[in-house]
Amino acid sequence: MPRQSMTHQFDLFSAPQRGKTAETPQWPELPEETRQALTVLIVRLFVDHANCGRVSQQKEAGYDA
């Protein structure tokens, strides 16, 4: 017998006229622990993205030498 998931995944690609998708919770409605975890993840994403650009530039500069 298939097990039903207890979590809900948002459908990002559904047509808006369907009206069956769950509303995305607003930031203040999220638990404090969730907001802190998301903040850490978003900062890490920005830092990793910025570092990726630097690594690419360093690799390109290395080929010129």
Side-chain angles (χ1 to χ4, degrees):
M1 200 170 187
R3 185 173 163 217
Q4 290 185 355
S5 175
M6 298 300 290
T7 59
H8 177 76
Q9 182 173 351
F10 294 108
D11 184 3
L12 300 176
F13 303 103
S14 67
Q17 61 270 20
R18 285 188 196 168
K20 293 183 180 179
T21 57
E23 294 249 347
T24 304
Q26 297 297 312
W27 186 258
E29 296 171 359
L30 295 173
E32 180 65 27
E33 182 178 282
T34 302
R35 290 192 308 235
Q36 289 176 357
L38 285 171
T39 301
V40 168
L41 291 172
I42 291 169
V43 168
R44 186 184 307 165
L45 178 69
F46 289 150
V47 170
D48 288 348
H49 180 72
N51 287 338
C52 182
R54 287 190 196 122
V55 170
S56 296
Q57 289 174 356
Q58 290 173 353
K59 285 182 181 179
E60 290 176 12
Y63 290 121
D64 293 339

